[in-house]
Amino acid sequence: MHEVSLGQTIRDYLTGEHIDKTTYEDLRQALARLLVEEKGYPASTLKPKVGVRFPVASGNAAATGGEAEEEEYCRTIDLAVYDAESRPMLILLFCPGQVNTYRRESLAAARLFPGGPVPLVVITDTREAILVSVQDDAILGEGMRAIPVWDWLKRLVAEHPVQPLSPERMIGEQRILHTYSEFIKKCCDESLCML
């Protein structure tokens, strides 16, 4: 099942704004509530639906005289957690399937995230979760208890620093994220940038 609009609105837990109700939005809202009410995250550190944007070649090179045109691609991240200096610490991605199958896509998103790379990523279907160190792709925890509490998150970020990407590595990560995400987009004929 893929995310589609339900033709209604819902009040966003973090912003208070009315947003489009989709097949997954109630799950995003539950994750935000979990972080604030059970894991101790200040609501001000969380930002929903952040876009990872980068240029991709589009169109037919033959039709444009041999040169590929570029367009901006966007992959939406469900929740991002920031420190007091507005640096991203953790991103959370909801996945509608087996959690580990979204691992590589999530790592690429964390490495390309605005202001990043982000040190940590949580991938969850709201029943299972994995916490992954972005620098070395190490699983730091499994299950919903792996989602760190606020004070633990600060320590984990310090213990798992992430290095900036080289230009070549950035291009590679863009290709990976685009390939994984575009597969879903083409399958559903929907845009993944649900901002």
Side-chain angles (χ1 to χ4, degrees):
M1 179 178 187
H2 302 287
E3 186 167 25
V4 295
S5 174
L6 298 176
Q8 301 171 355
T9 61
I10 186 173
R11 185 177 299 273
D12 185 79
Y13 176 79
L14 295 171
T15 67
E17 297 173 5
H18 286 280
I19 57 173
D20 188 33
K21 184 175 182 179
T22 67
T23 49
Y24 299 151
E25 192 57 48
D26 58 333
L27 301 170
R28 280 191 201 95
Q29 298 300 312
L31 286 171
R33 183 173 277 111
L34 170 85
L35 291 177
V36 173
E37 296 178 9
E38 294 182 32
K39 300 291 185 172
Y41 288 61
S44 61
T45 66
L46 301 173
K47 186 172 180 185
K49 295 185 178 180
V50 179
V52 175
R53 300 172 186 275
F54 53 90
V56 294
S58 67
N60 183 342
T64 60
E67 292 184 30
E69 295 179 21
E70 284 191 351
E71 63 182 38
E72 183 178 73
Y73 190 78
C74 176
R75 173 63 163 97
T76 302
I77 304 306
D78 296 298
L79 288 167
V81 181
Y82 295 87
D83 66 13
E85 288 78 36
S86 298
R87 292 178 300 223
M89 302 167 65
L90 168 74
I91 60 172
L92 288 92
L93 287 98
F94 169 74
C95 65
Q98 189 172 0
V99 173
N100 206 37
T101 62
Y102 286 79
R103 186 167 160 186
R104 188 61 187 93
E105 174 185 2
S106 300
L107 286 169
R111 290 173 179 151
L112 297 171
F113 194 81
V118 181
L120 303 167
V121 61
V122 168
I123 308 135
T124 182
D125 64 0
T126 69
R127 292 182 184 175
E128 297 296 327
I130 56 174
L131 173 65
V132 182
S133 167
V134 172
Q135 183 66 33
D136 58 3
D137 186 19
I139 294 180
L140 304 177
E142 296 184 56
M144 293 304 285
R145 289 186 174 174
I147 300 173
V149 296
W150 176 246
D151 292 334
W152 183 32
L153 176 63
K154 294 180 210 176
R155 181 177 54 85
L156 281 172
V157 167
E159 291 173 358
H160 298 279
V162 63
Q163 300 300 314
L165 299 179
S166 68
E168 296 81 16
R169 179 85 186 266
M170 185 173 290
I171 290 169
E173 295 296 332
Q174 289 172 347
R175 288 179 180 158
I176 289 167
L177 183 56
H178 183 255
T179 300
Y180 276 96
S181 299
E182 190 68 10
F183 172 75
I184 295 170
K185 180 179 176 182
K186 293 296 185 199
C187 175
C188 301
D189 197 31
E190 295 285 335
S191 172
L192 287 174
C193 196
M194 305 208 39
L195 299 177

